[in-house]
Coordinates of all heavy atoms in Angstrom, one line a residue:
Chain A
I5 N 122.9 168.5 68.4 CA 122.0 168.2 69.6 C 120.6 168.2 69.1 O 120.1 169.2 68.4 CB 122.2 169.3 70.7 CG1 123.7 169.2 71.2 CG2 121.2 169.0 71.8 CD1 124.0 170.2 72.2
F19 N 122.9 164.5 59.4 CA 124.1 165.0 60.1 C 125.3 164.0 59.9 O 126.4 164.3 59.5 CB 123.8 165.2 61.6 CG 125.1 165.2 62.5 CD1 125.9 166.4 62.5 CD2 125.4 164.2 63.3 CE1 127.0 166.4 63.3 CE2 126.5 164.2 64.1 CZ 127.3 165.3 64.1
I20 N 125.0 162.7 60.1 CA 126.0 161.7 60.0 C 126.5 161.6 58.5 O 127.7 161.5 58.2 CB 125.5 160.3 60.5 CG1 125.1 160.3 61.9 CG2 126.4 159.2 60.1 CD1 126.2 160.2 62.9
T26 N 132.5 164.0 51.8 CA 133.8 164.2 51.2 C 134.6 162.9 51.0 O 135.5 162.8 50.2 CB 134.6 165.2 51.9 OG1 134.6 164.8 53.3 CG2 134.1 166.6 51.8
L37 N 126.0 152.0 58.4 CA 126.2 153.2 59.3 C 124.8 153.7 59.7 O 124.5 154.0 60.9 CB 127.1 154.2 58.7 CG 127.3 155.5 59.5 CD1 128.0 155.2 60.8 CD2 128.1 156.5 58.6
A52 N 115.3 155.8 77.3 CA 116.0 156.6 78.3 C 115.2 157.9 78.6 O 115.6 158.7 79.5 CB 117.4 156.9 77.9
K55 N 108.2 160.0 77.3 CA 107.6 160.6 76.1 C 107.1 162.0 76.4 O 106.7 162.4 77.5 CB 106.3 159.8 75.7 CG 106.6 158.9 74.5 CD 105.3 158.5 73.8 CE 105.6 158.1 72.4 NZ 105.3 156.7 72.1
N59 N 112.6 168.8 78.1 CA 114.1 169.1 78.1 C 115.0 167.9 77.9 O 116.1 168.0 78.4 CB 114.5 170.0 79.3 CG 113.9 169.4 80.5 OD1 113.6 168.2 80.6 ND2 113.9 170.2 81.6
A63 N 122.8 164.3 72.4 CA 123.9 164.9 71.6 C 124.6 163.8 70.8 O 124.9 162.7 71.4 CB 124.9 165.6 72.5
F68 N 135.8 161.2 62.1 CA 136.5 160.2 61.3 C 138.0 160.4 61.3 O 138.5 161.5 61.0 CB 136.0 160.4 59.8 CG 136.6 159.4 58.9 CD1 136.3 158.0 59.1 CD2 137.4 159.7 57.8 CE1 136.8 157.0 58.3 CE2 137.9 158.8 57.0 CZ 137.6 157.4 57.2
D71 N 143.8 158.7 59.4 CA 145.0 157.9 59.5 C 144.7 156.4 59.6 O 145.3 155.6 59.0 CB 145.9 158.4 60.6 CG 146.4 159.8 60.4 OD1 146.4 160.2 59.3 OD2 146.8 160.4 61.4
V77 N 131.3 157.3 66.4 CA 130.0 158.0 66.6 C 129.7 157.9 68.1 O 129.7 156.7 68.6 CB 128.9 157.5 65.7 CG1 127.6 158.3 66.0 CG2 129.3 157.7 64.3
E101 N 107.0 131.1 63.2 CA 105.9 131.0 64.2 C 106.5 131.3 65.6 O 105.8 131.8 66.5 CB 105.3 129.6 64.1 CG 104.3 129.5 63.0 CD 103.4 130.6 62.8 OE1 102.6 130.9 63.7 OE2 103.4 131.3 61.7
I105 N 108.2 139.0 67.8 CA 108.2 140.2 67.0 C 109.0 141.3 67.8 O 108.7 141.6 68.9 CB 106.8 140.7 66.6 CG1 106.2 139.6 65.7 CG2 106.8 142.0 66.0 CD1 104.7 139.8 65.4
F111 N 120.5 144.3 68.2 CA 121.2 143.2 67.5 C 121.8 143.7 66.2 O 123.0 143.5 65.8 CB 120.2 142.1 67.3 CG 120.8 140.9 66.6 CD1 121.6 140.0 67.2 CD2 120.4 140.7 65.3 CE1 122.1 138.9 66.5 CE2 120.9 139.6 64.5 CZ 121.8 138.7 65.2
Q123 N 128.7 153.6 78.7 CA 129.2 154.1 80.0 C 128.1 155.0 80.6 O 127.4 155.7 79.9 CB 130.4 154.9 79.9 CG 131.7 154.2 79.5 CD 132.8 155.2 79.3 OE1 132.7 156.1 78.4 NE2 133.8 155.2 80.2
K126 N 128.7 160.8 85.3 CA 128.2 162.2 85.7 C 126.8 162.4 85.2 O 126.5 163.5 84.6 CB 129.2 163.2 85.1 CG 130.6 163.2 85.7 CD 131.4 164.3 85.1 CE 132.8 164.1 85.6 NZ 133.8 164.9 84.8
G127 N 125.9 161.4 85.4 CA 124.5 161.6 85.1 C 124.2 161.5 83.6 O 123.1 161.9 83.2
R128 N 125.1 161.0 82.9 CA 124.9 160.9 81.4 C 125.1 159.5 80.9 O 126.1 158.8 81.3 CB 125.8 161.9 80.7 CG 125.3 163.3 80.8 CD 126.2 164.3 80.0 NE 125.5 165.5 79.8 CZ 125.1 166.4 80.7 NH1 125.5 166.2 81.9 NH2 124.4 167.4 80.3
N129 N 124.2 159.1 80.0 CA 124.4 157.9 79.2 C 125.4 158.2 78.1 O 125.2 159.2 77.3 CB 123.1 157.4 78.6 CG 122.1 156.9 79.6 OD1 122.3 156.0 80.4 ND2 120.9 157.6 79.6

Side-chain angles (χ1 to χ4, degrees):
Chain A
I5 298 178
F19 161 74
I20 297 282
T26 46
L37 177 61
K55 254 206 161 115
N59 48 18
F68 183 62
D71 295 339
V77 179
E101 284 314 299
I105 292 171
F111 176 77
Q123 291 175 294
K126 295 181 183 161
R128 285 182 157 71
N129 292 301

